C-alpha cells in the first residue's frame, strides 16, 4: 500500500479527508471524471466534442455543488443525509444536462479541446493541492472539528 505521511494514497484520493463542503463535492467530481472514461467507451462520439462537453459538465458540477452545499449546509445550517443526497442528485443532474446539451448540439467544440485538457489538469492540481493545503475559508472547514484539510498526527 502506497502512503504519504502514513495515510493510504488511494483512500486520500477518492474519499473525503474531512467533512467540509469541498471534500464532499470533490468526491462526486472525481467520480464524474472516472465515469466519463467509461461513458466514452459506450457513447462513441468524437472524443474532442465529448471531452469538451464533459469538462463543461464537470465544472458545472463543481460550481453548482459548492454553491448549493455552501448555501444549504453552510449558511442555512441544514444538513442530514436525505437533504445532502437529494441536493447531490440535483447537482449531478445539472452537470449531466449541461454535458448532454453540448454533446448533442451541432456546434463544433474541437477548438476548445486543448483548453478542456488544461481545465482537467487545473482541476486535478486543485484537487491534490487542496487535500494537503486548503485555503482557510468556510467551504474547506470541517464542520465538526473546525479544522482544514488532511490532519497529520505524528
Amino acid at each position: 500500500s502506497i502512503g504519504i505521511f502514513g495515510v493510504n494514497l488511494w483512500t486520500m484520493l477518492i474519499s473525503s479527508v474531512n467533512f467540509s463542503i469541498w471534500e464532499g463535492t470533490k468526491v462526486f467530481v472525481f467520480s464524474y471524471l472516472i465515469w466519463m472514461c467509461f461513458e466514452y467507451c459506450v457513447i462513441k462520439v468524437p472524443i474532442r466534442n465529448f471531452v469538451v462537453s464533459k469538462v463543461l459538465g464537470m465544472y458545472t458540477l463543481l460550481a453548482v455543488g459548492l454553491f448549493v452545499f455552501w448555501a444549504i449546509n453552510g449558511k442555512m445550517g441544514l444538513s442530514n443525509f436525505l437533504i445532502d443526497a437529494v441536493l447531490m442528485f440535483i447537482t449531478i443532474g445539472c452537470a449531466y444536462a449541461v454535458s448532454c446539451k453540448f454533446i448533442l448540439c451541432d456546434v463544433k467544440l474541437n477548438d476548445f479541446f486543448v483548453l478542456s485538457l488544461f481545465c482537467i489538469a487545473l482541476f486535478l492540481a486543485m484537487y491534490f493541492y487542496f487535500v494537503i493545503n486548503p485555503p482557510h475559508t468556510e467551504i474547506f472547514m470541517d464542520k465538526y472539528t473546525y479544522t482544514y484539510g488532511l490532519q497529520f498526527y505524528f
Side-chain angles (χ1 to χ4, degrees):
S1 167
I2 300 171
I4 296 177
F5 303 114
V7 177
N8 185 299
L9 181 63
W10 295 111
T11 302
M12 182 177 75
L13 294 179
I14 63 172
S15 65
S16 297
V17 298
N18 65 26
F19 290 101
S20 68
I21 296 168
W22 164 258
E23 290 294 328
T25 305
K26 80 166 190 175
V27 171
F28 288 97
V29 177
F30 193 69
S31 301
Y32 182 88
L33 277 175
I34 294 170
W35 179 251
M36 182 176 87
C37 298
F38 292 112
E39 194 175 10
Y40 177 72
C41 295
V42 173
I43 292 182
K44 303 289 186 194
V45 296
I47 190 156
R48 290 176 178 259
N49 284 356
F50 181 80
V51 169
V52 172
S53 65
K54 288 300 175 179
V55 167
L56 288 169
M58 178 186 75
Y59 274 91
T60 300
L61 176 61
L62 187 61
V64 172
L66 288 174
F67 176 76
V68 166
F69 280 97
W70 170 79
I72 301 296
N73 290 348
K75 290 300 175 193
M76 296 173 70
L78 301 173
S79 181
N80 70 38
F81 177 75
L82 184 58
I83 292 172
D84 290 349
V86 168
L87 290 175
M88 194 44 71
F89 278 117
I90 291 169
T91 303
I92 291 170
C94 289
Y96 272 96
V98 166
S99 68
C100 286
K101 176 74 174 168
F102 282 97
I103 285 175
L104 299 174
C105 75
D106 293 333
V107 177
K108 297 291 182 194
L109 301 173
N110 292 341
D111 295 341
F112 300 103
F113 180 70
V114 173
L115 179 62
S116 295
L117 293 178
F118 173 76
C119 288
I120 290 173
L122 179 64
F123 170 74
L124 291 173
M126 287 187 322
Y127 185 90
F128 294 119
Y129 182 76
F130 289 159
V131 167
I132 296 171
N133 191 19
H136 285 219
T137 62
E138 190 175 348
I139 65 169
F140 293 95
M141 184 178 69
D142 186 318
K143 61 186 175 183
Y144 298 112
T145 64
Y146 302 105
T147 58
Y148 298 90
L150 186 61
Q151 299 300 309
F152 300 110
Y153 301 102
F154 296 105

